[in-house]
Amino acid sequence: MLEFFNMVLHIDQTLGVWVEQYGVWVYLVLFLIVFAETGLVVLPFLPGDSLLFIAGAFGATGHIDPILMSILLIIAAVTGNTLNYAIGRYIGPRVFSMNLRFLDRGALMRTHAFYEKHGGKTIVMSRFIPVVRTFAPFVAGVADMSLARFQMFNILGALIWVISLVAAGYFFGNIPLVREHLNTIVLLGLAAAIVPVVGAGLFKLFRSRRA
């Protein structure tokens, strides 16, 4: 049992064994792992980015159908986040309605306001940040972010996350240097996308203060 759990935990390293032993059932295994990692706040340690990348690499070898796999993993990512959001939305009001001194009601309102203004960016960008991607939809639910707005960015984020990493694995997954530094490459790419946005925001703030 421990060996099985270890294989699941490191499936990004043992995917070849899963494909060889379980054949088409590997699609279900990948689906459940992505669903659990995005849908349950207690499982943020499951592989995400690396799993998609390695799965894409196996798609290039013909052992896995990359199109079918991408569709299934997008569904897993969307439904997982939806479950996480629903749990947060169900628990959030109950928790903050309790008369507990250590709960900051003001913080809940500020979080709600933040997600209404920046929640979309948070849901999309968090897809590429381990652990954060597991907690972001839960916090969005706690903050009572509207379901329609959440789902719009949830689906967008899932599409970008799965397609980009599976495609990267498909085309570059068999290059050792890329595989060994995947997390660093993902974070650098995310930083490259965020820096111009932050810079534009700071420039606008500076200009408004001068005016």
Side-chain angles (χ1 to χ4, degrees), residues 33 51-53 55 62 113 133 138 144 147 151 164 206 209:
I33 290 175
L51 173 59
L52 298 181
F53 184 83
R133 92 173 131 256
F138 178 81
D144 200 25
L147 178 60
Q151 288 293 21
S164 63
F206 177 75
R209 287 190 174 183

Side-chain angles (χ1 to χ4, degrees), residues 13 36 58 88 105 114 158 171:
Q13 302 172 18
F58 272 87
R105 296 175 186 274
F114 176 83
F171 292 108

Side-chain angles (χ1 to χ4, degrees), residues 31 66 81 83 99 112 120 151 195 198 203:
F31 180 96
N81 259 22
L83 172 64
N99 189 22
H112 175 267
Q151 288 293 21
V195 168
V198 175
F203 176 76

Side-chain angles (χ1 to χ4, degrees), residues 35-192:
F35 176 83
E37 195 237 357
T38 57
L40 302 173
V41 292
V42 295
L43 298 175
F45 51 80
L46 290 175
D49 299 331
S50 56
L51 173 59
L52 298 181
F53 184 83
I54 298 302
F58 272 87
T61 66
H63 290 90
I64 297 177
D65 182 340
I67 303 298
L68 174 60
M69 177 186 59
S70 296
I71 293 173
L72 290 174
L73 295 184
I74 288 170
I75 294 172
V78 170
T79 54
N81 259 22
T82 301
L83 172 64
N84 214 339
Y85 167 87
I87 294 172
R89 194 162 189 174
Y90 177 77
I91 292 177
R94 290 173 177 268
V95 171
F96 279 86
S97 65
M98 297 177 183
N99 189 22
L100 301 175
R101 290 191 303 173
F102 59 84
L103 291 179
D104 188 345
R105 296 175 186 274
L108 177 60
M109 298 304 296
R110 289 193 296 272
T111 304
H112 175 267
F114 176 83
Y115 266 88
E116 283 299 315
K117 187 174 182 180
H118 304 290
K121 302 172 190 175
T122 304
I123 297 299
V124 173
M125 292 187 296
S126 67
R127 286 286 189 183
F128 295 89
I129 307 175
V131 180
V132 175
R133 92 173 131 256
T134 303
F135 286 97
F138 178 81
V139 174
V142 172
D144 200 25
M145 182 180 186
S146 69
L147 178 60
R149 180 175 170 81
F150 172 79
Q151 288 293 21
M152 179 176 66
F153 289 104
N154 177 28
I155 294 171
L156 176 62
L159 287 168
I160 296 174
W161 183 52
V162 173
I163 292 175
S164 63
L165 285 174
V166 169
Y170 186 89
F171 292 108
F172 306 109
N174 294 307
I175 301 176
L177 181 64
V178 175
R179 181 179 295 194
E180 292 170 5
H181 298 88
L182 174 63
N183 289 334
T184 301
I185 294 172
V186 169
L187 290 176
L188 287 174
L190 182 62

Side-chain angles (χ1 to χ4, degrees), residues 13-36:
Q13 302 172 18
T14 60
L15 185 56
V17 177
W18 286 86
V19 171
E20 182 179 341
Q21 292 185 356
Y22 300 104
V24 295
W25 288 102
V26 75
Y27 293 103
L28 177 61
V29 173
L30 295 176
F31 180 96
L32 291 175
I33 290 175
V34 171
F35 176 83

